[in-house]
Amino acid sequence: METFVVIGLGRFGSAVAEELCALGHQVLAIDTDEKAVQRMADKVTQAVVGDCQDPEVLQMLGVKNMDGAVVAFSSDIGTSVLITLNLKELNIPRIVCKARNHSHREVLRRIGADQVVFPEHESGRNLARTLANREILNYIELTERYGIVKLKVPTPWVGKTLRDLNVRVTYQVNIIAIQSGDGAIQPVPEPDHVFRPGDLIFTLGNNESNERILALE
């Protein structure tokens, strides 16, 4: 079990805080909006009203002892940056921030944010990829060049094994999981797995390599 502070209880921050708590972690949720705090009071370990632009508020709440922090709003760039700086001063091991745009992301990275996310932007890009190719059942972008694709096993692969196909060498992708027709999932599948009709595969590779797999259909 780890301890986290989530600052900003809009839709994104509330979802992060609630899910972390559901996963068994201790979560301190903070916002300046009393109504937002009240909505989260029964869903996290502790929810408080506070202005995290003030370093003394963070000190008083014991934030320096947290394993991780999430700055979960991006509407006010200046406030986001100041709070991130305050968290860096407390030596929080991991700080994740939500960014409004690319410039905001660059500033957050330069002042020491360990991870910067664009929830709406990333969701939109992933959805666009699934809409643009009907063979893609799901897409998770890892970087601008690399991603994980969930798709039906290509017809030419049916009846063959991973060893037969030598997928990693031939296609420059890794098959990180296989879901059979009954829904069972094999993480890190064995080389002797025989592909069957109805199998779903999860490929990890760069965009060009993933595209080559999709073209097999």
Side-chain angles (χ1 to χ4, degrees):
M1 178 181 68
E2 294 185 298
T3 56
F4 295 92
V5 57
V6 178
I7 301 169
L9 299 177
R11 189 173 300 174
F12 174 69
S14 296
V16 171
E18 188 172 350
E19 186 64 18
L20 282 171
C21 205
L23 291 170
H25 301 294
Q26 291 190 350
V27 178
L28 168 63
I30 309 174
D31 200 293
T32 55
D33 185 342
E34 186 174 353
K35 290 183 178 179
V37 171
Q38 289 175 348
R39 286 196 299 270
M40 293 300 295
D42 297 329
K43 300 176 181 179
V44 296
T45 311
Q46 184 181 9
V48 299
V49 177
D51 184 354
C52 296
Q53 296 179 88
D54 185 346
E56 292 186 5
V57 170
L58 296 174
Q59 290 278 5
M60 180 182 65
L61 293 172
V63 170
K64 68 178 181 179
N65 299 315
M66 297 290 178
D67 296 305
V70 181
V71 182
F73 68 93
S74 58
S75 56
D76 187 325
I77 295 176
T79 300
S80 163
V81 169
L82 179 56
I83 291 174
T84 302
L85 285 170
N86 288 341
L87 293 170
K88 289 295 295 182
E89 287 293 318
L90 295 175
N91 295 315
I92 307 298
R94 186 180 183 192
I95 301 172
V96 179
C97 301
K98 179 183 178 184
R100 181 175 181 177
N101 51 44
H102 292 284
S103 298
H104 187 192
R105 177 175 64 181
E106 187 60 29
V107 171
L108 290 169
R109 283 178 172 172
R110 290 190 179 189
I111 64 174
D114 298 290
Q115 183 178 354
V116 183
V117 298
F118 285 96
E120 297 88 353
H121 178 74
E122 290 161 7
S123 295
R125 284 173 62 95
N126 293 345
L127 176 60
R129 288 183 180 273
T130 62
L131 291 173
N133 192 318
R134 293 180 181 273
E135 301 302 328
I136 296 178
L137 302 177
N138 198 8
Y139 181 84
I140 301 173
E141 183 179 70
L142 302 179
T143 69
E144 289 188 2
R145 290 196 60 224
Y146 286 85
I148 297 172
V149 175
K150 177 183 179 182
L151 68 155
K152 295 178 182 178
V153 63
T155 301
W157 289 12
V158 173
K160 298 179 181 177
T161 68
L162 282 170
R163 193 189 306 277
D164 295 334
L165 295 164
N166 200 9
V167 173
R168 185 180 298 177
V169 173
T170 305
Y171 301 98
Q172 288 80 55
V173 299
N174 287 304
I175 305 298
I176 60 174
I178 299 172
Q179 184 175 358
S180 60
D182 61 5
I185 293 182
Q186 286 187 58
V188 194
E190 296 294 330
D192 292 324
H193 173 86
V194 179
F195 288 109
R196 296 175 175 82
D199 279 354
L200 302 178
I201 61 173
F202 297 77
T203 68
L204 169 60
N206 63 39
N207 297 333
E208 293 80 9
S209 297
N210 281 325
E211 288 290 340
R212 282 198 291 272
I213 301 295
L214 291 165
L216 293 173
E217 201 61 41

